[in-house]
Amino acid sequence: MEDKVVEERSQRAISSRNKENYMKAKAAFNQKDMAGCMSYYAPDHHIRSRDVGPGRQHIERFLSSMHESWPDLVIVVEHAVAEDDWVVGRCTTTATHAKTVMGAAPTNRQVQATFWDMHRFDADGRIVETWNLMDSLAIMQQLGLVPTQPK
């Protein structure tokens, strides 16, 4: 019985560490500290929601491109849940449409969208796998690329 309690405490500590690392990675991204952000990703990291092979360079390229397209992009973690070696987050992004995105000329309007991401962490607390889902329809509607529903 005591071994089970020790194991549960250990697992909670690992989950807590992983959630903290998730939050730190998002904070480093918001500060445009790509080296700091990448320190939370394993060298063999794999984006599972994109057709790319393993390698941290893929997530670094993706995150860097977000800053290039949306220079003032900010991610707010609305909710994060950690269990075992998984962390799932629901986030809101806000940015100014100041550059051409998806073929749409800049409007200088604020664009906001929600995304969900799910990360699996290794024993060292680094992200080894990522799945994400962005509300691209909301972005396209705000850019005027897709009509919005009448209210």
Side-chain angles (χ1 to χ4, degrees):
M1 181 71 158
E2 193 172 306
D3 288 343
K4 185 177 180 182
V5 170
V6 169
E7 169 138 359
E8 286 176 5
R9 284 184 184 153
S10 174
Q11 192 55 53
R12 278 196 305 267
I14 290 169
S15 295
S16 179
R17 178 210 54 202
N18 292 344
K19 183 177 177 181
E20 184 177 325
N21 286 353
Y22 170 80
M23 300 297 286
K24 287 178 179 177
K26 296 292 189 230
F29 174 84
N30 283 338
Q31 295 164 4
K32 297 185 180 182
D33 175 7
M34 288 309 292
C37 183
M38 288 303 102
S39 72
Y40 294 100
Y41 289 84
D44 61 343
H45 174 268
H46 201 139
I47 303 173
R48 297 296 186 175
S49 50
R50 293 183 176 269
D51 189 19
V52 296
R56 182 171 40 205
Q57 72 273 13
H58 299 294
I59 191 72
E60 184 171 15
R61 191 175 310 124
F62 170 72
L63 294 175
S64 293
S65 75
M66 296 304 296
H67 280 305
E68 290 166 14
S69 297
W70 307 93
D72 66 343
L73 176 69
V74 173
I75 296 173
V76 175
V77 178
E78 303 289 348
H79 196 83
V81 177
E83 182 177 311
D84 299 326
D85 54 353
W86 294 95
V87 176
V88 176
R90 179 180 62 85
C91 304
T92 303
T93 59
T94 305
T96 304
H97 180 215
K99 293 189 172 194
T100 300
V101 176
M102 297 180 191
T107 62
N108 293 315
R109 291 190 304 231
Q110 282 290 117
V111 175
Q112 186 174 25
T114 300
F115 75 89
W116 295 264
D117 54 3
M118 183 168 77
H119 303 280
R120 187 174 63 81
F121 287 74
D122 65 14
D124 296 322
R126 292 178 304 178
I127 302 166
V128 292
E129 293 181 276
T130 297
W131 285 259
N132 55 30
L133 179 63
M134 173 66 76
D135 186 355
S136 298
L137 177 60
I139 295 169
M140 291 188 292
Q141 287 174 327
Q142 292 171 70
L143 296 179
L145 299 172
V146 174
T148 59
Q149 293 291 330
K151 293 183 181 186

